[in-house]
Amino acid sequence: MNPKKPHLLKVITPVDSSFILKGDPIPWDNPWHYHPELELILCIKGKGTNFVGNDIRSMEEGEILLLGTNLPHTRQRDRIFYKSHPEETPESIVVQFDEDFLGKGFFETPEFLHVKELKDRAARGIKFTGKTTAKVHEKLAEMIRSDKTQRLIGLLGILDLLARSEECEYLNGTGYVSDAHLKNSQKINRVYEYTITNFRKSVELVEIASLTNLSVSAFCRYFKTRTRKTYVQYLTEVRIGYACRLLGEGQFDIGQVAYESGFNNLSNFNKQFKKLMQTTPREYGNRMREFE
């Protein structure tokens, strides 16, 4: 399997429900896949690795992940641990639901706009931490024991809680997602579009600022206010995101990947990749190909 082309997984919702709520032991050969449905994951216990978009990190017991529509992902068991401990089984609760599972336009209402924004943000994958995880764990456990109506109310309560929580981090940088629906103004949209088209070459702040009719200093303030990061950080994320895809394909050596991704210095590429991905380019490529 080519990691750049994840498998489309058909999610079948029960006829008597508008979403899926299930236990998930994580199958041994969990494929690299995507689906239109959003996915909420609670890891109750388990040892292994989460692959979400370009992000690779170890599972953490008690973690809560929210994965957006069509975000490629897989969860892989720690084979060494589970083969030496056959009595142990990973345990998770998974909720899968369509973007419009309560009807088209439901989340456009004033009361649920914050949930709509959460669904959009989930396109990058979100990991929740702190007290939020304990609250969601409690609500999911209650949903398991409830009837269909209470399960639906419980899910809405969880989405409301997650949308209001600040105890979270994105699993992928802004550069992983280029869909225009995540952008909320024409001015910054021009910046995103130009960057996605030209990131492989040298990009100067003065030319980016000119797209917004702002001075360089004014543009830098404008961009950071709207993205909570500098433009250089965003550009680096775009380049690293593209590098991850090339590394997954395995067709280029590290130097070629760096050059194709817009880096003209291999040492800087390795430094920036390790800083953003918490692993080296070589280790990342090897791990992506582990589940081919």
Side-chain angles (χ1 to χ4, degrees):
M1 181 189 69
N2 185 337
K4 192 178 180 183
K5 296 180 180 179
H7 170 69
L8 172 61
L9 182 68
K10 178 65 175 176
V11 174
I12 301 176
T13 304
V15 294
D16 61 346
S17 180
S18 57
F19 64 94
I20 294 172
L21 172 66
K22 63 181 181 178
D24 181 20
I26 309 176
W28 277 105
D29 296 309
N30 197 17
W32 176 237
H33 66 278
Y34 69 99
H35 42 73
E37 295 77 14
L38 287 89
E39 185 165 319
L40 177 67
I41 303 169
L42 162 64
C43 176
I44 299 173
K45 66 174 184 177
K47 295 185 182 297
T49 306
N50 292 324
F51 297 78
V52 180
N54 292 331
D55 185 73
I56 300 175
R57 66 180 73 194
S58 297
M59 293 177 193
E60 294 180 11
E61 294 186 352
E63 70 183 3
I64 298 287
L65 306 180
L66 181 62
L67 312 182
T69 180
N70 295 323
L71 176 60
H73 61 279
T74 182
R75 306 169 73 214
Q76 298 291 318
R77 292 189 183 203
D78 183 325
R79 292 180 178 271
I80 295 176
F81 175 83
Y82 286 108
K83 286 185 176 179
S84 60
H85 298 80
E87 75 284 359
E88 294 282 345
T89 304
E91 186 178 349
S92 300
I93 296 177
V94 172
V95 182
Q96 296 170 321
F97 55 98
D98 186 82
E99 196 167 23
D100 295 316
F101 77 107
L102 291 177
K104 196 167 183 63
F106 180 87
F107 291 103
E108 302 282 351
T109 58
E111 293 84 357
F112 285 101
L113 280 177
H114 63 305
V115 175
K116 179 182 182 300
E117 292 173 359
L118 171 71
K119 293 193 301 171
D120 288 345
R121 291 191 288 121
R124 292 164 60 184
I126 306 175
K127 177 181 177 180
F128 291 88
T129 59
K131 294 180 180 179
T132 299
T133 58
K135 292 177 181 177
V136 173
H137 190 160
E138 181 180 344
K139 287 179 178 292
L140 283 171
E142 186 177 338
M143 284 173 64
I144 292 288
R145 300 188 298 266
S146 300
D147 62 26
K148 291 181 293 184
T149 303
Q150 291 303 314
R151 285 184 176 187
L152 177 56
I153 294 172
L155 178 55
L156 287 175
I158 288 174
L159 294 176
D160 174 63
L161 174 63
L162 295 180
R164 298 177 190 276
S165 175
E166 296 182 357
E167 297 177 305
C168 62
E169 62 177 298
Y170 291 111
L171 300 179
N172 288 274
T174 312
Y176 182 79
V177 181
S178 60
D179 299 298
H181 73 274
L182 294 182
K183 319 306 186 280
N184 55 16
S185 77
Q186 284 189 340
K187 185 180 290 187
I188 205 165
N189 208 19
R190 287 196 294 271
V191 173
Y192 283 119
E193 290 172 356
Y194 183 89
T195 304
I196 295 300
T197 304
N198 297 281
F199 69 88
R200 276 169 246 164
K201 68 178 187 180
S202 176
V203 178
E204 302 295 333
L205 276 176
V206 64
E207 62 182 306
I208 294 297
S210 68
L211 298 173
T212 61
N213 296 317
L214 295 171
S215 66
V216 170
S217 58
F219 166 74
C220 289
R221 290 193 299 271
Y222 165 83
F223 192 86
K224 190 163 188 178
T225 297
R226 283 153 180 80
T227 65
R228 298 182 182 179
K229 65 185 68 181
T230 67
Y231 176 76
V232 173
Q233 287 175 311
Y234 167 68
L235 176 61
T236 300
E237 288 179 358
V238 171
R239 288 171 169 166
I240 296 298
Y242 185 71
C244 286
R245 299 184 185 195
L246 295 183
L247 289 167
E249 290 180 328
Q251 297 177 4
F252 300 106
D253 62 32
I254 304 299
Q256 289 174 303
V257 168
Y259 176 77
E260 291 292 331
S261 303
F263 292 89
N264 54 19
N265 182 295
L266 181 58
S267 176
N268 184 47
F269 169 67
N270 287 325
K271 177 182 176 181
Q272 296 300 330
F273 193 98
K274 181 73 178 288
K275 180 179 178 181
L276 191 63
M277 303 302 299
Q278 305 301 308
T279 188
T280 67
R282 190 173 305 281
E283 290 169 343
Y284 179 91
N286 289 340
R287 294 185 73 180
M288 282 295 286
R289 290 189 292 276
E290 280 179 3
F291 52 92
E292 290 185 15

